[in-house]
Amino acid sequence: MAKANGKRRPISLALQGGGAHGAYTWGVLDRLSEDASLDIAAISATSAGAMNAVAYASGLAKGGPEGARAELEALWRRVSESSAALGAFGPAGFAFATALQSLASPYDLNPFNYNPLRRLVEDQIDFEAVHASGLSLFISATNVESGKVRVFSKDEITADAVLASACLPQSFQAVEIDGTPYWDGGYMGNPSLFPLIYSGAPPDVLLVILNPLERPGTPKRAAEIQERLNEISFNASLIGELRAIAFVQRLIDDGMLKAPLMKKYRRLNVHAIRGGQDLIGYGLASKYDTRWRLLTELRDLGRTEADRWLRECAVHVGTNTSSFDIRKEFLDA
């Protein structure tokens, strides 16, 4: 619900990667774009989240919230159509690709470095519009040589930066930018939160989490073990940053930061849409399944959860409080 004076409350978004599960985030953005009480002013994103972010920014610059919604749908339609034309996705395609990847690298299997995402991103995204949008935008990739996260800010964001952020090394050759090779940003920033701290972005941050934080039981089959390892790996950097944020918040609350440090550190009010729990029944293969029926199913799940969040949690935005308890989730035993 909007405030009585009609002023929109600024918010930052942090979008995880997750392959085709990124269609869930499409649904979240689709629903948030309909809401008149919030102003999405900054986005930090990785992998599929990065693709959603640039599509949203491009559409927003050209046609406002409705333009953003249209651009997101066009992106995901193109993803589905391109994959269908290649005949590469779906459960059978995933099983075949997984078998090949266990035997050889993309440098062996794809010596000419064909990446179907390149043409899709270059054709679908207007990067001049992305740069002209009013959003503060950050996209993360992993520097292969240093092992550190590289954050591309808005004016640095190109098709190569998006492809680097989404480059799974088992599937694609590293993306080189200015002579430096990059892999998927999910290894070191999924997504990165620190740019939102140091850029002066709105202190209310809404996380859209696609990987389950918790999964009851011990996986015992090979595929289940691999799936849980992937989830833990791609959540690790986010959990580390959230623990650091919780520590700084504790110092602020206890009055332990002196004036000079208070200028450097500030409170982030954290909110979350825990899509990973909604997606817990979708197996690893579904992250590679881009059939339109599944993508729209995931979109609708995201819309539903975003609608619930708007009704139950959005009231905290602008009140200097969080609706997501970091300490309970990550610090308490």
Side-chain angles (χ1 to χ4, degrees), residues 8-198:
R8 299 173 71 195
R9 295 163 292 163
I11 192 169
S12 301
L13 301 184
L15 311 180
Q16 267 198 338
H21 289 186
Y24 183 99
T25 303
W26 163 29
V28 171
L29 290 170
D30 191 68
R31 178 63 186 91
L32 293 180
S33 296
E34 297 175 341
D35 185 77
S37 70
L38 300 178
D39 176 24
I40 299 171
I43 301 178
S44 181
T46 295
S47 198
M51 294 181 65
N52 277 314
V54 294
Y56 179 87
S58 174
L60 187 70
K62 293 185 288 186
E66 285 303 312
R69 296 180 66 209
E71 192 87 358
L72 284 163
E73 179 168 353
L75 169 71
W76 285 98
R77 280 193 179 275
R78 182 67 182 273
V79 167
S80 183
E81 291 166 0
S82 298
S83 299
L86 290 169
F89 293 94
F94 170 75
F96 179 68
T98 301
L100 281 180
Q101 290 166 7
S102 66
L103 298 173
S105 83
Y107 293 86
D108 301 316
L109 298 172
N110 184 13
F112 297 105
N113 197 21
Y114 172 66
N115 187 337
L117 285 178
R118 177 169 293 280
R119 183 173 179 182
L120 186 156
V121 170
E122 291 177 343
D123 288 353
Q124 195 64 45
I125 304 300
D126 182 346
F127 285 95
E128 289 187 3
V130 171
H131 300 156
S133 72
L135 288 172
S136 295
L137 198 59
F138 308 95
I139 288 177
S140 297
T142 300
N143 184 318
V144 177
E145 295 174 332
S146 71
K148 298 177 181 178
V149 66
R150 164 71 189 274
V151 177
F152 297 89
S153 56
K154 186 167 68 176
D155 291 340
E156 300 173 312
I157 294 173
T158 62
D160 279 342
V162 175
L163 292 170
S165 185
C167 180
L168 289 172
Q170 301 91 343
S171 302
F172 303 112
Q173 294 185 23
V175 176
E176 289 199 6
I177 300 175
D178 297 329
T180 301
Y182 293 97
W183 282 340
D184 194 291
Y187 296 108
M188 296 304 298
N190 195 22
S192 295
L193 301 182
F194 69 87
L196 300 175
I197 299 173
Y198 298 119

Side-chain angles (χ1 to χ4, degrees), residues 203-206 249 267-271 316 318-323:
D204 284 284
V205 178
L206 173 59
Q249 288 180 344
R267 169 181 292 279
L268 283 190
N269 306 311
V270 181
H271 316 277
H316 293 280
T319 65
N320 204 34
T321 59
S322 298
S323 59

Side-chain angles (χ1 to χ4, degrees), residues 209-236 239 274 276-277 280 282-284 287 330:
I209 303 171
L210 296 184
N211 294 307
L213 296 172
E214 298 181 5
R215 183 182 286 274
T218 302
K220 296 180 181 179
R221 299 180 62 182
E224 294 171 346
I225 292 170
Q226 186 60 53
E227 181 175 3
R228 188 55 183 152
L229 280 173
N230 286 340
E231 290 169 351
I232 292 171
S233 297
F234 282 111
N235 277 334
I239 291 172
R274 296 181 56 162
Q277 301 311 122
I280 201 166
Y282 291 80
L284 181 60
K287 291 187 175 183
F330 301 119

